[in-house]
Amino acid sequence: MSEKPTVVFRALQVANEHRIAYGLRYNDFQRYRKHCANRTHRIRSTLKMTHGKGRNFQKLPTLTTDNLKEGHLQLLLFETERAWAYAQELTAEALKNEDREGALRHSATGRFRRAVNWSTQLLSHCQELYAQGRLSAENIIEATVYTIIINGRFLRYRYEYDDALVQLSIARSLLDELAAAATTSRDQALAVLFADEINPEIRHCAHELGQAKAYDIDGIVAQLTPKQKTAIVEDYDSLIVKLKSEGQASGVSETRKKLRELKWEGQPVPVRNPELVDVLLKVQEGEARLAEAQRQSASSSKHAVQSKKGIAAYDATLLALSDAEEVARKLAEAQQLTTSSGSSAANGRDIHFVYAYIVYQLLRYRIQRDLLLISALLVSQPEGKSTTKPAIGKPEAVDSRLYPAVVKLLDTVLQSLNQMRTLSVVDDNPDLASAVDARVSFTKARRCIYLARSYTPVKKYAEALTLLQHAGIHIRETTSSLSLSNAENIADAHPEFFPIDTAEIKNLDTTVTADSTRYKRDWLAYNGGSATADSKGYKKPVFFDIALNYVELDMDRLLERAGKAPAAPAPIAAPKPQRAEAVPEKRAPAAKAKAEESRPETPQPSATGKGGLGSLLGGWWGRS
């Protein structure tokens, strides 16, 4: 007799995937109920479990363990989900409609009973498969947990808090065992997710029963599980032993799917969602490839090859972090619309903190990539030119047309740093906030320097010198902010992505001073330091006219010393004697000229000592 095929049925995984994808992320029970209805119709058609078409009714064949498939288990699961979603929808409508509250709650109770019936059938089939060895211990425990949660919620709905507390506590203990024995981080997050969902219900039942420590969920579970586990779950201990043995057997091949622990300020970052685990695993793989590429680039002798490989290695990590940021943002938005989970709130770090942490990592790698691009641009040299590092205070020997591209990259770095400064994980840490402020000021200073170098080729020295003045201010801000930051308290923030120290600040200050002096000299040689004039034609130095106001300039002496003495004036020839018959001279013009020379100057008016009315009116009759 041939061996029967093994059935793989992950009840919690299937339920979680469909709940998130079809409405329950935002508590849209109507949409999810309709999806479950469509899903059951498709599964029935696939399994040929329909009653025929038209008026001819066909009886379904008897379902036995031998012909039981995964599709039959999924059909029972979606029937349970459909009835449970309908019960939740009717309960929500009953809270809004007071006139029909009784009728709606009665209908919701009927749907809840139907969900319990379907889940019980599902568990019985899984137990039969497990008895035949066709179902793993992990699968049977997931089906058991799913059924117990449905029963516990139904009992809580009927205000039977004592029995509901026992059911939910057993389910929580099984989920803890699943999380501990999980071979992958995704399975662990799945168990933690369902545990977070039932934690508030356990607290509510304990509070209704009047327990003093209703907030201590772990204590309640530890107290009730040893007493009630065998009554609720058959062969509880043997299932746990089988689960651990299966985990140890398959744990060797699943080591790659384990997410390493993430820490921030010495505390772990909670990753409690399977979706988030999937994208963070991709981030982890991208970081590993990036570290390997950086090691290979460090051993390479050619800087150009090193830069190209290093820049390309960031693409996979940034792409994975972008996907992780999108998933975390959706989860954070969903948590704002729904009630927060009890466990994450108790730990003090919820999905909003995880979202801020992921955004910080995304910005960190983006800044690191942009800085690497800047260094690649600045060291790019045509063939035949020297690639040695320039001396302090001298600009890099690159084409001036590259400076606008460097400024654009520095603008991107500034945008990322400003966005990083607004994150809650940065704002809550004063040392990290000061470190980010220092890097913002340092980047602004570099941006002013390269923007000034972009202005000098077009002879705009006034703008360049103004930018260098701003750069000096930003350098002082950098020094002040860096003195307020303690590097030991920001180790988890990985400040090495943007290294900055006192030597670099001093080097930048020296560069600003040297560039300022050089621009002033070039400006003076260009047009004498005028902000409006151009260099068309010769222009006197700026202090030439001022000097002539105070110093008498002896041009003859200057020309004599220069070897350019002025020539002696030519002698005037004596006039020839005129003949007797010549026309006699006209003496009238000479006499007129003599008269003009002998005419006295016009006297200036003198002040008179007389006053009164006579002096005022004397001018009318010619009196002075």
Side-chain angles (χ1 to χ4, degrees):
M1 184 175 179
S2 61
E3 185 178 354
K4 297 179 181 179
T6 304
V7 177
V8 179
F9 176 66
R10 303 288 304 276
L12 297 181
Q13 180 178 344
V14 173
N16 177 67
E17 290 176 354
H18 286 267
R19 286 178 182 180
I20 291 176
Y22 296 99
L24 285 200
R25 187 194 296 273
Y26 304 101
N27 287 344
D28 190 353
F29 290 100
Q30 183 179 6
R31 179 189 173 193
Y32 184 60
R33 173 177 61 84
K34 293 180 178 179
H35 164 71
C36 291
N38 296 332
R39 186 72 178 175
T40 53
H41 294 333
R42 288 196 296 270
I43 293 176
R44 289 183 185 275
S45 300
T46 303
L47 297 175
K48 298 180 180 180
M49 295 181 63
T50 59
H51 295 283
K53 297 181 180 179
R55 296 184 178 181
N56 297 326
F57 179 79
Q58 295 179 0
K59 186 178 180 180
L60 295 177
T62 304
L63 187 62
T64 62
T65 309
D66 296 335
N67 57 5
L68 197 61
K69 301 178 182 179
E70 182 185 356
H72 298 92
L73 301 179
Q74 288 190 5
L75 178 61
L76 295 174
L77 176 66
F78 283 109
E79 289 286 6
T80 306
E81 289 286 289
R82 177 185 181 184
W84 171 75
Y86 201 5
Q88 298 296 320
E89 181 183 351
L90 293 174
T91 303
E93 290 182 4
L95 296 175
K96 298 178 183 178
N97 194 347
E98 297 180 356
D99 299 336
R100 300 183 58 207
E101 182 178 1
L104 290 173
R105 287 189 63 86
H106 180 73
S107 300
T109 304
R111 294 292 174 176
F112 237 135
R113 283 198 182 97
R114 189 173 296 182
V116 172
N117 184 23
W118 288 117
S119 64
T120 305
Q121 293 183 32
L122 172 65
L123 180 58
S124 63
H125 287 310
C126 291
Q127 288 175 347
E128 293 174 359
L129 292 173
Y130 177 72
Q132 294 181 356
R134 299 175 58 190
L135 197 67
S136 64
E138 183 182 11
N139 294 162
I140 186 62
I141 290 177
E142 286 192 8
T144 303
V145 168
Y146 179 78
T147 304
I148 294 176
I149 290 176
I150 295 294
N151 289 332
R153 287 175 175 173
F154 179 61
L155 293 172
R156 191 176 73 91
Y157 178 78
R158 296 180 60 184
Y159 305 108
E160 299 178 10
Y161 297 112
D162 195 1
D163 295 337
L165 181 61
V166 174
Q167 296 271 348
L168 294 173
S169 298
I170 299 299
R172 167 63 192 276
S173 66
L174 289 174
L175 288 170
D176 291 342
E177 295 292 342
L178 284 173
T183 57
T184 63
S185 297
R186 194 181 197 283
D187 294 341
Q188 183 181 7
L190 181 65
V192 171
L193 177 65
F194 275 88
D196 289 344
E197 287 183 0
I198 64 176
N199 280 340
E201 300 178 72
I202 295 175
R203 187 187 303 113
H204 176 251
C205 292
H207 175 73
E208 292 294 335
L209 292 174
Q211 295 188 10
K213 295 184 178 180
Y215 58 87
D216 188 9
I217 299 175
D218 295 334
I220 295 172
V221 172
Q223 180 183 359
L224 294 177
T225 300
K227 302 176 182 179
Q228 304 291 338
K229 61 182 181 181
T230 55
I232 303 300
V233 180
E234 186 179 358
D235 297 332
Y236 182 95
D237 295 331
S238 61
L239 283 175
I240 299 302
V241 173
K242 185 71 175 296
L243 174 66
K244 293 180 179 179
S245 62
E246 290 179 355
Q248 293 176 356
S250 60
V252 179
S253 60
E254 299 292 341
T255 53
R256 291 182 56 193
K257 298 183 180 179
K258 272 287 187 179
L259 183 66
R260 66 171 179 268
E261 187 179 13
L262 306 177
K263 285 189 176 182
W264 184 265
E265 296 180 355
Q267 297 183 5
V269 177
V271 182
R272 321 180 73 87
N273 195 283
E275 294 178 273
L276 207 53
V277 170
D278 293 339
V279 291
L280 288 179
L281 282 174
K282 295 181 181 178
V283 173
Q284 182 173 304
E285 295 175 0
E287 289 178 344
R289 289 196 296 267
L290 177 60
E292 182 64 24
Q294 289 178 347
R295 285 193 296 268
Q296 294 179 358
S297 299
S299 61
S300 177
S301 59
K302 295 182 178 180
H303 190 84
V305 176
Q306 173 185 350
S307 301
K308 291 180 180 179
K309 289 184 178 180
I311 295 171
Y314 282 91
D315 295 340
T317 304
L318 290 175
L319 180 61
L321 281 170
S322 299
D323 296 339
E325 185 270 338
E326 183 179 1
V327 172
R329 177 175 50 81
K330 290 181 180 180
L331 292 174
E333 292 175 354
Q335 192 184 47
Q336 289 180 350
L337 299 176
T338 59
T339 56
S340 60
S341 60
S343 180
S344 60
N347 291 335
R349 290 185 169 182
D350 54 2
I351 188 61
H352 297 282
F353 173 82
V354 179
Y355 172 69
Y357 173 81
I358 292 174
V359 173
Y360 178 86
Q361 300 299 326
L362 174 62
L363 296 175
R364 176 171 75 90
Y365 281 107
R366 188 179 295 171
I367 292 171
Q368 196 171 1
R369 191 269 314 269
D370 292 338
L371 293 176
L372 186 61
L373 280 172
I374 292 174
S375 62
L377 281 176
L378 293 179
V379 301
S380 60
Q381 295 282 345
E383 293 184 1
K385 288 191 177 182
S386 174
T387 58
T388 58
K389 187 175 181 180
I392 296 177
K394 293 185 179 181
E396 293 85 352
V398 296
D399 192 349
S400 60
R401 292 174 295 181
L402 292 178
Y403 291 139
V406 175
V407 172
K408 184 64 176 178
L409 288 173
L410 289 173
D411 287 336
T412 307
V413 173
L414 274 177
Q415 181 181 1
S416 300
L417 286 172
N418 291 327
Q419 185 179 354
M420 181 184 291
R421 183 62 180 84
T422 60
L423 296 176
S424 59
V425 294
V426 176
D427 198 31
D428 295 341
N429 190 341
D431 294 319
L432 182 57
S434 299
V436 174
D437 289 337
R439 283 154 176 81
V440 169
S441 301
F442 187 81
T443 306
K444 287 182 178 179
R446 290 190 65 190
R447 180 183 179 276
C448 289
I449 291 174
Y450 288 108
L451 190 57
R453 292 177 181 178
S454 301
Y455 275 112
T456 52
V458 292
K459 308 302 181 183
K460 292 187 177 181
Y461 296 103
E463 291 83 351
L465 290 173
T466 304
L467 288 168
L468 290 181
Q469 291 179 358
H470 285 285
I473 297 174
H474 293 315
I475 290 174
R476 291 193 292 271
E477 293 176 354
T478 304
T479 306
S480 176
S481 299
L482 198 62
S483 63
L484 300 176
S485 176
N486 187 1
E488 297 179 356
N489 297 334
I490 59 174
D492 291 335
H494 300 283
E496 64 272 8
F497 78 94
F498 196 146
I500 180 175
D501 53 12
T502 308
E504 292 189 3
I505 298 175
K506 185 177 180 180
N507 187 9
L508 197 67
D509 193 11
T510 306
T511 302
V512 170
T513 304
D515 286 356
S516 178
T517 304
R518 182 163 52 86
Y519 296 162
K520 289 176 182 178
R521 292 175 179 174
D522 295 345
W523 191 11
L524 186 64
Y526 172 65
N527 60 1
S530 175
T532 56
D534 53 10
S535 61
K536 294 180 180 179
Y538 172 78
K539 185 174 179 62
K540 297 178 182 179
V542 66
F543 299 111
F544 187 83
D545 296 331
I546 299 177
L548 289 180
N549 293 334
Y550 299 95
V551 179
E552 183 178 357
L553 185 61
D554 189 358
M555 291 301 301
D556 296 336
R557 178 61 177 166
L558 287 177
L559 292 174
E560 182 181 355
R561 295 188 62 182
K564 300 180 179 179
I572 301 175
K576 297 180 180 181
Q578 298 181 356
R579 298 179 180 179
E581 60 271 18
V583 180
E585 283 186 330
K586 295 181 180 180
R587 299 293 182 180
K592 183 178 180 181
K594 184 177 181 181
E596 290 178 357
E597 294 177 359
S598 62
R599 187 178 62 181
E601 296 181 357
T602 304
Q604 298 291 335
S606 59
T608 176
K610 299 170 65 178
L613 186 61
S615 62
L616 179 63
L617 302 177
W620 290 1
W621 290 278
R623 291 183 300 174
S624 59

